[in-house]
């Protein structure tokens, strides 16, 4: 059974492209509201559920937050692919920073991994808001992923990096 997001309440949550802009425990500037540090956010859920959810080829969407969970699971898969050959935390950090510098496509643009998952932006402002949110959530996910993909001494955690070989929802990661 697929793990779903616990963020089902949509009251007071801004949306862009049909995706809720959920609060993050983040110090990174962006459009996401700031969450309390002791609460679980969508990035925590994505990292916690990744190793179970990556095995599924189908994902039942029960709430709009599940769409973001799918996107983050895919992004974690991409990030782990980039970390696969990195033998130290310093090299891994450099690889993740380079991943963060890449352009972030939004629905309707070439390169967006899940066409049809999110609705198309109605305006350029909505597209920019969604792109900035994805950039912020990707940066936050990258930072937290490094702390689980590498041990305290800077060596790779094979129990995480082994999942770089998996395909999520049969989407090939280049």
């Amino acid at each position: 059974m697929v793990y779903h997001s616990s963020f089902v309440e949509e009251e007071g949550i801004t949306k862009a492209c049909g995706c809720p802009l959920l609060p993050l425990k983040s110090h990174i500037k962006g459009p996401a509201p700031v969450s309390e540090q002791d609460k679980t956010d969508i990035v925590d859920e994505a990292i916690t559920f990744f190793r179970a959810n990556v095995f599924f080829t189908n994902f039942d969407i029960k709430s709009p937050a599940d769409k973001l969970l799918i996107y983050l699971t895919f992004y974690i898969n991409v990030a782990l692919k980039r970390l696969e050959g990195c033998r130290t935390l310093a090299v891994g950090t450099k690889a993740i920073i380079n991943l963060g510098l890449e352009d972030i496509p939004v629905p309707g643009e070439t390169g967006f991994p899940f066409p049809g998952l999110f609705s198309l932006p109605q305006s350029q402002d909505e597209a920019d808001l969604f792109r900035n949110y994805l950039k912020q959530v990707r940066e936050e996910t990258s930072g937290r992923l490094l702390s689980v993909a590498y041990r305290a001494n800077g060596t790779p955690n094979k129990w995480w990096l082994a999942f770089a070989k998996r395909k999520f929802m049969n989407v090939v990661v280049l």
Side-chain angles (χ1 to χ4, degrees), residues 51-141:
R51 294 189 287 181
N53 284 348
V54 76
F55 287 105
F56 293 96
T57 56
N58 298 323
F59 200 105
D60 235 2
I61 298 173
K62 296 194 174 184
S63 72
D66 282 345
K67 296 177 182 182
L68 188 55
L69 189 63
I70 290 169
Y71 182 85
L72 286 176
T73 302
F74 176 76
Y75 177 72
I76 291 169
N77 196 324
V78 170
L80 287 175
K81 280 251 187 268
R82 297 287 174 91
L83 294 174
E84 198 172 16
C86 303
R87 294 284 153 228
T88 65
L89 178 59
V91 176
T93 302
K94 188 184 274 188
I96 288 292
I97 289 171
N98 288 337
L99 178 62
L101 294 176
E102 292 178 6
D103 287 337
I104 301 171
V106 294
E109 295 179 355
T110 57
F112 191 75
F114 298 107
L117 181 63
F118 298 104
S119 59
L120 297 175
Q122 300 301 312
S123 66
Q124 187 60 42
D125 287 342
E126 184 180 11
D128 290 340
L129 176 65
F130 192 51
R131 186 183 328 271
N132 290 335
Y133 181 74
L134 289 180
K135 182 173 175 46
Q136 182 183 9
V137 79
R138 284 170 60 142
E139 285 181 29
E140 189 62 36
T141 303

Side-chain angles (χ1 to χ4, degrees), residues 10-47:
E10 297 181 43
E11 231 174 88
I13 301 290
T14 307
K15 283 188 173 183
C17 298
C19 176
L21 306 183
L22 296 171
L24 299 174
K25 297 185 293 190
S26 178
H27 61 280
I28 298 167
K29 283 177 53 176
V34 177
S35 175
E36 296 174 25
Q37 292 298 318
D38 59 337
K39 286 191 172 181
T40 301
D41 66 359
I42 191 70
V43 175
D44 291 333
E45 280 188 352
I47 291 174

